[in-house]
Amino acid sequence: DTGVSQNPRHKITKRGQNVTFRCDPISEHNRLYWYRQTLGQGPEFLTYFQNEAQLEKSRLLSDRFSAERPKGSFSTLEIQRTEQGDSAMYLCASSLAESFNEQFFGPGTRLTVL
Amino acid sequence: DAKTTQPTSMDCAEGRAANLPCNHSTISGNEYVYWYRQIHSQGPQYIIHGLKNNETNEMASLIITEDRKSSTLILPHATLRDTAVYYCIVPPRLTSNTGKLIFGQGTTLQVKP
């Protein structure tokens, strides 16, 4: 399968703990995006990378959130000191730079903060 | 971004055509219309996009009105697997476009046997 993969698929954690999610994009895609989706809502943009450079961050991405794409391939999204409001589906997508609106999404990581 | 308006929900009989409307009356001349869908418990899936001509691919057809203020996504022979939330998106055409997709509430399409 050469699609976008995300791990883990589910994560349950206690409030105050740190969590890290991983996204492996389609190999030739140089753009990678993170979105967050809460129940009943459409996905909301968090941040994106072109190769290893993080080029935009949403105001939704508080200072407890950090994303990296160290070698321009896989990416990680870390949430520090999780809060119950962080409970959501975290979606990763990738695309070619020249067709950035045709994004391929992974299955998501569902985070539950108790 | 050009604001889009879609009905909250629609039903369609299996095997019939599903016609999903979208209003985007503030669209600019060089902005495209994109459609994505999200099947339950999956990530969104790109379907089709267009500028002003009608477009067709293996998944669907996209009809854009001449004034470009609205469009219709057509699934010609809906199946139960087409039950999903369908999003109409008009990304801004900026010189440094991020590819930041803004999803609204979408239309929940329920295909019934």
Side-chain angles (χ1 to χ4, degrees):
Chain A
D1 188 340
T2 56
V4 177
S5 61
Q6 293 187 246
N7 287 288
R9 293 293 308 278
H10 304 274
K11 179 71 177 178
I12 299 174
T13 191
K14 293 183 179 179
R15 189 176 55 181
Q17 298 295 304
N18 298 344
V19 294
T20 300
F21 310 140
R22 177 178 170 125
C23 171
D24 287 90
I26 293 172
S27 58
E28 61 267 29
H29 285 181
N30 45 13
R31 286 206 180 183
L32 186 147
Y33 311 82
W34 286 98
Y35 292 81
R36 181 174 70 184
Q37 185 173 26
T38 53
L39 201 60
Q41 304 297 315
E44 296 174 292
F45 171 84
L46 292 178
T47 188
Y48 94 100
F49 293 83
Q50 177 145 327
N51 301 313
E52 66 277 7
Q54 186 174 17
L55 297 183
E56 182 170 340
K57 293 193 292 185
S58 163
R59 285 173 290 181
L60 294 174
L61 214 64
S62 76
D63 55 7
R64 296 184 297 105
F65 288 70
S66 62
E68 294 182 342
R69 193 183 184 197
K71 297 182 180 179
S73 57
F74 73 92
S75 175
T76 59
L77 178 68
E78 181 183 16
I79 309 174
Q80 296 182 327
R81 306 181 302 281
T82 53
E83 301 173 356
Q84 288 184 325
D86 297 331
S87 295
M89 175 74 82
Y90 290 85
L91 293 161
C92 174
S94 69
S95 76
L96 295 169
E98 57 267 32
S99 53
F100 45 74
N101 290 317
E102 292 179 45
Q103 296 177 17
F104 293 77
F105 283 79
T109 294
R110 180 165 295 285
L111 173 66
T112 302
V113 182
L114 302 176
Chain B
D1 293 350
K3 180 178 173 61
T4 62
T5 305
Q6 300 178 253
T8 302
S9 64
M10 294 181 64
D11 289 344
C12 177
E14 188 178 19
R16 303 297 293 269
N19 297 286
L20 294 99
C22 179
N23 287 320
H24 32 78
S25 58
T26 60
I27 194 169
S28 297
N30 58 357
E31 290 178 334
Y32 284 73
V33 181
Y34 282 76
W35 284 82
Y36 279 76
R37 74 178 182 183
Q38 187 171 22
I39 295 170
H40 183 62
S41 297
Q42 297 184 19
Q45 177 188 23
Y46 164 80
I47 301 173
I48 198 168
H49 72 279
L51 182 63
K52 54 184 177 181
N53 297 320
N54 298 339
E55 302 288 346
T56 296
N57 64 19
E58 65 277 5
M59 290 184 68
S61 295
L62 175 60
I63 308 298
I64 302 174
T65 58
E66 192 169 344
D67 64 7
R68 301 203 337 111
K69 293 185 177 181
S70 66
S71 60
T72 301
L73 180 76
I74 301 172
L75 308 178
H77 305 287
T79 71
L80 299 178
R81 290 191 299 270
D82 293 321
T83 292
V85 180
Y86 287 78
Y87 297 99
C88 169
I89 301 171
V90 179
R93 289 281 288 182
L94 304 173
T95 55
S96 58
N97 199 314
T98 63
K100 176 172 66 177
L101 297 177
I102 297 179
F103 293 81
Q105 300 276 22
T107 296
T108 299
L109 175 68
Q110 180 73 49
V111 180
K112 299 186 173 182

